Amino acid sequence: MLGLARANLQKADLRNCQVRQGDMYQLPFSDESFDGIVIHQVLHYSEDPADAIAEAGRALRPGGKLVVVDFAPHGLETLRDDHAHRRLGFSDAEVAAWFESAGLTAGKTVTLDGDPLTVCLWSATRAANEDAAADNTDKILKEERG
């Protein structure tokens, strides 16, 4: 899959994009290394998805965007047995909580309805700077208070 992705990037002449393989819990990159990170169809194999999200958040630059593509909750137990899935999808609330815990601001979820599996695209942004993060916290607190 990485080879195919690299070929597609080259074909599209996207020289500023890279595809890399690494440990999702300990990325081999320094803090604030990337403008964008995509976690595509791997969290359902993860022992601790929250830690993977936190690690991606660490590697994002201020203003950077994380996109997670994975399954909505489902009951296909056969995927555990036949394909080693650890989790049977994720709820919007679950993913939003992981984003918040990682210091990221959740965006709108895009849902691609399917039968039998629905795929979701969850996005989040790292605050552009500490002032923006503080402003976002104030906004959340005001919304919670009504």
Side-chain angles (χ1 to χ4, degrees):
M1 292 306 296
L2 293 176
L4 178 62
R6 285 185 185 109
N8 286 337
L9 289 173
Q10 184 176 12
K11 183 179 177 181
D13 198 31
L14 296 172
R15 296 178 188 170
N16 62 334
C17 296
Q18 297 178 5
V19 178
R20 300 265 181 106
Q21 181 176 348
D23 180 343
M24 67 180 160
Y25 304 112
Q26 291 184 313
L27 296 172
F29 306 103
S30 60
D31 294 357
E32 302 181 1
S33 293
F34 297 99
D35 294 319
I37 295 174
V38 177
I39 300 175
H40 189 272
Q41 294 288 0
V42 295
L43 281 189
H44 57 264
Y45 294 107
S46 175
E47 216 171 289
D48 192 343
D51 282 355
I53 298 291
E55 180 64 358
R58 178 197 66 76
L60 279 177
R61 289 186 180 118
K65 187 166 221 166
L66 171 64
V67 176
V68 175
V69 181
D70 219 306
F71 298 120
H74 62 84
L76 297 176
E77 285 290 337
T78 185
L79 292 177
R80 289 187 202 271
D81 300 332
D82 298 344
H83 300 286
H85 288 205
R86 289 182 173 266
R87 308 198 183 279
L88 298 179
F90 306 99
S91 70
D92 291 347
E94 190 173 30
V95 175
W98 296 332
F99 286 162
E100 183 178 350
S101 180
L104 304 171
T105 302
K108 182 181 174 189
T109 300
V110 175
T111 302
L112 306 172
D113 292 323
D115 183 18
L117 295 170
T118 293
V119 173
C120 293
L121 289 81
W122 294 280
S123 64
T125 305
R126 183 169 177 185
N129 57 44
E130 288 187 29
D131 292 335
D135 290 346
N136 187 50
T137 300
D138 290 343
K139 178 182 171 188
I140 291 169
L141 292 173
K142 286 177 187 175
E143 289 173 1
E144 287 177 355
R145 293 179 188 142

